Amino acid sequence: MNVIMDYILIVIFPYGIKGAAFATGLSQMTTSSILLIYILTKSKKLKFVKINNFFKRVANIIYIGFSEFLAEVSTGISIFLFNMNILYLIGDDGVSAFGIISYITTFVTMAMIGFNQGLQPIVSYNLGKKNYENIQKAFKISIITVFLFGLAFYGIVNSFTKNIIQSFVKDSNTINLTIKALRIYSIAYIVSGINIVCAGYFTSIKKIKKATFITALRGIILIFILINTLPKIWGVTGLWLTVPIAELVTLIISITFIFKLKKEQRDVYKKN
């Protein structure tokens, strides 16, 4: 619905940004309406009911889901920080280049988040059954999968860089700038999925603080620090290196947390 309405309201009818906004809102309303109609008329098991201890349950949901919330919010924060610094260092062409990179990166990130969302209910279900072997298998499969997909996305983006960018813009200066930027920025695709899955994994096993720290580190803290330091050292190249370095540093932290968790689990198994 979003893609179709974007085409209708931007290409066929020249409503520009207003058309894009309306298309997004309409697509969300369409999905919600279908779900609501199903719940009210067709569903036998999923119903609206009165909730006891409402505020306590909501507070618990907010606490558990804060890491995922932060992951979404951090995208907007990082884009804002990048645009401010790009305007200062490069100008309007840089903002255009980053806009293209953001579109491509959003597609890649959503794929990784999809794997994460698929992993979480499996881990939570097996945690409840105390089937720790299945948890380890699911986590291992997810890590391998997102790593392979990250490599694939990196390979595709760097093999067809110019073709991909030309589908967005035709200006030669913007194209050349975006090619250089995307080839540096896309290094992050290789490891970003691992960090996303690790954060989701910790959420699923109720290690909320670790999940939140990983998400905040890669999405806000390191971005803020690196985007204000790397350009002073390496100029524009440092700007595009911000996200890859942030993801690599976070990866080291994530791996450290995973190994520490495994050690704790081994100690528990020995006691039992």
Side-chain angles (χ1 to χ4, degrees), residues 72-245:
E72 299 292 338
V73 172
S74 64
T75 301
I77 294 172
S78 64
I79 288 173
F80 174 76
L81 290 172
F82 263 96
N83 281 334
M84 292 294 290
N85 282 272
I86 288 168
L87 274 173
Y88 176 75
L89 290 169
I90 306 171
D92 293 342
D93 286 344
V95 174
S96 298
F98 183 66
I100 296 167
I101 293 170
S102 294
Y103 274 114
I104 298 167
T105 303
T106 299
F107 178 81
V108 175
T109 304
M110 287 300 107
M112 302 304 183
I113 289 174
F115 283 108
N116 177 42
Q117 291 176 344
L119 170 69
Q120 286 181 308
I122 296 171
V123 171
S124 296
Y125 175 77
N126 282 283
L127 183 69
K129 292 187 72 176
K130 297 183 179 180
N131 195 334
Y132 302 113
E133 187 178 347
N134 278 358
I135 292 174
Q136 294 303 318
K137 284 181 180 178
F139 178 65
K140 185 177 180 181
I141 289 168
S142 296
I143 289 293
I144 293 170
T145 303
V146 293
F147 176 68
L148 292 175
F149 265 81
L151 281 175
F153 282 129
Y154 176 78
I156 292 168
V157 165
N158 282 274
S159 297
F160 305 99
T161 313
K162 191 171 184 178
N163 303 81
I164 294 170
I165 293 167
Q166 283 179 332
S167 65
F168 291 93
V169 291
K170 302 299 179 186
D171 178 66
S172 59
N173 289 331
T174 305
I175 289 171
N176 292 331
L177 176 61
T178 311
I179 288 172
K180 293 176 183 177
L182 185 56
R183 284 180 174 161
I184 297 171
Y185 195 99
S186 61
I187 298 170
Y189 300 163
I190 300 172
V191 297
S192 62
I194 299 174
N195 289 326
I196 291 169
V197 167
C198 284
Y201 174 71
F202 281 118
T203 298
S204 302
I205 61 172
K206 300 181 181 180
K207 302 288 184 181
I208 310 301
K209 291 180 180 179
K210 285 184 171 62
T212 303
F213 182 73
I214 290 170
T215 303
L217 193 67
R218 65 179 289 270
I220 300 175
I221 298 170
L222 286 175
I223 296 294
F224 181 80
I225 294 170
L226 294 173
I227 205 169
N228 286 294
T229 55
L230 294 184
K232 294 176 182 178
I233 302 170
W234 293 311
V236 174
T237 301
L239 182 70
W240 304 126
L241 278 170
T242 297
V243 171
I245 292 176

